[in-house]
Amino acid sequence: MNKRTGVMVGAAAAAIGAAAILLPNANASTDQPAAPKTLSAHSATQLAASLKADLGDNGAGWYLDSAKGHLVMNVLSEEAAKSVTAKGAVAKVVHNSMTALKAGAKTLRDSASVPGTAWSIDPKTNKIVVLADRTVTGAKMATLNKATGGMGAGMVTVKRSQGEFKRYDGGNAGSAAGGAAGANGGQAAGGAGNAAGAGGAGDAAGGGGAAGGAGGAGDAAAGGAGDAAGGAGDGAGGAGDGGQQAAGPVGGSAIFGGNARCSLGFNVTVKGAPAFLTAGHCGNDSKTWTADQGGSQPLGTVSDSQFPKTDFALVTYDDTAAKPQSAVDLGNGSTQEITKAAEAAVGMKVQRSGSTTGLHDGTVTGLDATVNYGNGDIVNGLIQTDVCAEPGDSGGAMFSDDSAVGLTSGGSGDCTAGGETFFQPVTDALKATGAEIGAGGGGAGGAGDAGGGDAAAGGAGDAAAGGAGAGDAAAGGAGAGDAGAGSAGAGDAGAGSAGAGDAGAGAGDAGAGAQDPGAAGSGDSLN
């Protein structure tokens, strides 16, 4: 072999050797699992539904890793895990099947139906999580322990709740939650906000609306004035900010029926007719509902109410030509448009709007929850969250971005100490009633309103085309219970709080006829 031939052979051998090194690496790269997709909650829910159908009995629930934006699917085998990762989700091999977890939940319903208990399936731990409130002691706790003990530690976890499970409907009259009667909230021109005693009471309509008296909270739900964080009145913004407010009741607005006060959930349509969803136990409290405690502003009549077992009611608007906005009150003079309904997912970030405590946020922690409120009131299929709520918030809207998710049912704790709150899934309520999200839009100036619109939360009258309705501030004709145009509105005071928040300039302007001390009355309570 000459020198040239030797060089060529050597080069060929080197090339083959290099290929031998590169080819295994190339093959290895194709075997690497795809990186998990970063998804929105809506996209993750859609992918989960598709994977759930594909997995069948090999699926065991799913949840959102909201910190990373990943969908986590529980599976029962490594083979199933491969198909999950190939679609861009995170696979987690677990022991308990969804069939076994649902069977365990049925066992609890059959053998441990103890008042003051709740349980839900937690896909993060692949277990049933049981909560026992502070009333579960002695024989009741022994019954619970016997039922859960037979299921094994690998299936169920028992935790204690510091509060007491109750529905979150509130009363209209009687002593305030804090035990003290509220002071009347009359204001001088341009004066400070509503003067509310502990848990108290009456507001001047110009300073934030009559809604405050209704639940003893001083909250101006119509204008969304302020968020009562921890029950403290906080003039968070613009009860008279007419241009951004809904023209009429929206999610979170106070509604009144008989001796009860609740919150509106979502405006809907049923065969083209306007209606709204709220809690079923509220629908059982009263057949008719109004926007004010005195009953002078009728809203609608209950056409369907389901409680217990489930917890939703459909209220048909009396005004068949009404076009209430499909939105939720954000408590700062603005609203969040609601365009669709969505299934809840563990790990989903959500917000809740209610007429007592305003806007609060949190996370979905469990699904298919059962709550035993006592007296035979047992509700199934609920969404469990760590969002706080208080009496008067029942029926209020839980949402995620522009999606309706739940209707406030009940729970334990409050917005000072925190706690657990349970929600009726909106998708189930829509399916059962034939309702659709949205009621034909509607905005500022609709239905005889000027900017602020109807006093959905119990204000004292509508401002018609810029004119001042009863109890309204003349300037700008902001809606019922609103202060003059652009004013900051009175802050809402939660149950047991001492003193409502600041009123902005012009709130309670006596010269504008804004005061209406009788609109709410003192001594109103949350029940």
Side-chain angles (χ1 to χ4, degrees):
M1 181 174 63
N2 61 32
K3 184 176 181 180
R4 181 178 179 183
T5 302
V7 170
M8 293 175 63
V9 170
I16 292 171
I21 294 171
L22 291 173
L23 285 173
N25 289 340
N27 291 335
S29 66
T30 61
D31 292 337
Q32 293 296 320
K37 295 178 181 178
T38 300
L39 303 165
S40 66
H42 179 66
S43 297
T45 300
Q46 290 182 315
L47 178 57
S50 174
L51 286 171
K52 180 181 176 182
D54 292 342
L55 291 169
D57 292 339
N58 282 316
W62 57 277
Y63 61 94
L64 301 177
D65 181 346
S66 55
K68 297 180 179 179
H70 295 164
L71 167 65
V72 182
M73 297 291 299
N74 291 340
V75 295
L76 300 179
S77 69
E78 292 293 346
E79 190 66 27
K82 291 179 182 178
S83 65
V84 167
T85 54
K87 296 290 182 65
V90 176
K92 181 180 177 182
V93 180
V94 297
H95 176 71
N96 295 317
S97 69
M98 187 56 65
T99 300
L101 291 171
K102 289 184 175 180
K106 184 178 185 302
T107 297
L108 290 172
R109 283 195 295 271
D110 295 342
S111 60
S113 185
V114 176
T117 60
W119 54 83
S120 63
I121 295 174
D122 179 13
K124 285 189 175 182
T125 61
N126 189 228
K127 292 183 180 181
I128 302 167
V129 177
V130 179
L131 290 172
D133 74 13
R134 65 188 179 193
T135 69
V136 181
T137 59
K140 292 200 295 185
M141 194 66 201
T143 299
L144 183 62
N145 286 336
K146 181 179 179 181
T148 57
M151 296 167 64
M155 175 71 71
V156 63
T157 299
V158 179
K159 298 180 179 181
R160 297 302 304 238
S161 173
Q162 298 304 309
E164 179 179 347
F165 294 134
K166 57 190 175 184
R167 306 175 311 180
Y168 280 140
D169 47 343
N172 284 341
S175 61
N184 190 295
Q187 296 109 351
N194 307 333
D203 306 332
D219 50 317
D227 184 4
D234 183 5
D241 189 6
Q244 295 181 351
Q245 290 179 194
V250 294
S253 295
I255 56 175
F256 303 87
N259 291 320
R261 185 184 80 142
C262 289
S263 298
L264 189 148
F266 298 97
N267 283 318
V268 296
T269 56
V270 182
K271 296 180 179 179
F276 65 82
L277 294 173
T278 187
H281 62 266
C282 295
N284 288 1
D285 286 341
S286 177
K287 185 71 173 175
T288 58
W289 290 84
T290 65
D292 66 320
Q293 180 184 343
S296 63
Q297 298 174 54
L299 281 178
T301 304
V302 174
S303 59
D304 189 6
S305 184
Q306 301 294 326
F307 180 86
K309 293 186 178 179
T310 55
D311 197 2
F312 65 85
L314 179 71
V315 182
T316 303
Y317 279 101
D318 293 336
D319 180 3
T320 57
K323 294 186 180 296
Q325 185 179 356
S326 182
V328 174
D329 182 7
L330 297 181
N332 60 359
S334 64
T335 58
Q336 167 66 58
E337 183 182 11
I338 299 298
T339 64
K340 57 183 179 292
E343 298 281 354
V346 170
M348 176 186 282
K349 297 296 184 183
V350 291
Q351 293 178 290
R352 177 199 55 75
S353 180
S355 62
T356 298
T357 58
L359 187 71
H360 287 273
D361 58 16
T363 305
V364 174
T365 58
L367 299 176
D368 198 20
T370 294
V371 184
N372 190 330
Y373 293 120
N375 299 316
D377 291 342
I378 302 172
V379 187
N380 302 309
L382 298 180
I383 303 164
Q384 182 176 331
T385 77
D386 59 9
V387 186
C388 72
E390 296 180 10
D393 287 332
S394 271
M398 181 175 75
F399 59 103
S400 178
D401 297 323
D402 64 345
S403 298
V405 179
L407 304 166
T408 308
S409 176
S412 69
D414 53 38
C415 289
T416 299
E420 304 86 16
T421 303
F422 299 89
F423 297 83
Q424 164 70 39
V426 166
T427 50
D428 290 350
L430 294 174
K431 187 181 301 182
T433 60
E436 297 178 344
I437 286 293
D449 305 322
D454 294 346
D462 302 334
D472 294 339
D482 296 336
S487 68
D492 46 310
S497 68
D502 315 332
D509 185 348
Q515 285 196 23
D516 187 2
S522 61
D524 299 325
S525 74
L526 293 177
N527 193 18

